Amino acid sequence: MAGNPQVGVLALQGDVREHAALLEGLGADVVLVRRPEELDAVAGLVIPGGESSVIDKLSRLFGMQEPIRAAITAGMPMYGTCAGLILLADTVLDGIDGQESFGGLDVAVRRNAFGRQTESFETELDVPVLGAPSVHATFIRAPVVERVGAGVEVLASLPDGTVVAVQQGSLLGTSFHPEVDGETRFHERFLGLAESFARTRRSTHV
Ligand code: GLN
């Protein structure tokens, strides 16, 4: 779509294709991001689901950790699903030895929080900021948000109060995978944030 900002999907590991296809379906111009130069070209970044400890290691190996942290500090919108949420969390609980995150979301996230018995499940989730209908949410070895900082908005919780979707400024995170269910509204919200970020960046650069 003309005038749409370029957005990236961090393409080190995980369900990169599903996110790229969904974003393209929404008219976005999608770049698979593996290098700092590719990050410079985009106005927002999706961090996919996968294995957070692997994405962490690869991001350090590829020299992406510092550029991503700098982009977060500069206000670049990011949307993390599942492993991506873990990578955006300031605090990771039950990480492997030496596991690091990019940080940015003032939350503590626990990995694999549902235990072996309920490793994967699907449920209908009420997400008030998205309105009706409810979100069909697929959880796959999913993390949960255990501590929510003062500036963090809770977008969705399970019936027992467990927090599974959050937003803080231009950072969005969900424990579940909207991209596997054709749920587009989180990605639309992310694209909206990326559009305003691109506009501000343009007006401060001219
Ligand atoms: N359990 C994975 C992790 O810790 C996340 C699973 C997922 O992204 N579906 O990174």
Side-chain angles (χ1 to χ4, degrees), residues 20-123:
L22 197 155
L23 290 164
E24 274 162 5
L26 291 171
D29 183 1
V30 180
V31 178
L32 300 187
V33 171
R34 293 189 189 88
R35 300 165 195 280
E37 311 83 80
E38 289 156 351
L39 184 64
D40 288 341
V42 299
L45 185 70
V46 168
I47 307 178
E51 175 47 56
S52 56
S53 59
V54 174
I55 299 177
D56 163 42
K57 273 195 196 136
L58 291 175
S59 73
R60 285 185 268 157
L61 205 64
F62 281 60
M64 288 301 289
Q65 187 191 59
E66 282 316 315
I68 290 175
R69 285 182 175 167
I72 291 170
T73 307
M76 183 187 284
M78 300 210 182
Y79 173 29
T81 62
C82 204
L85 164 64
I86 298 168
L87 282 150
L88 287 177
D90 282 347
T91 305
V92 177
L93 305 170
D94 288 343
I96 67 163
D97 263 5
Q99 181 165 350
E100 297 179 12
S101 68
F102 304 129
L105 276 175
D106 180 14
V107 295
V109 166
R110 186 174 300 280
R111 290 176 66 228
N112 304 333
F114 293 98
R116 294 228 154 252
Q117 257 125 51
T118 42
E119 274 207 332
S120 301
F121 63 98
E122 297 175 31
T123 189

Side-chain angles (χ1 to χ4, degrees), residues 30 99 109 155 163 166 177 180 200 202 206:
V30 180
Q99 181 165 350
V109 166
L155 301 185
V163 174
V166 289
H177 291 267
V180 305
T200 354
R202 263 198 308 275
V206 282

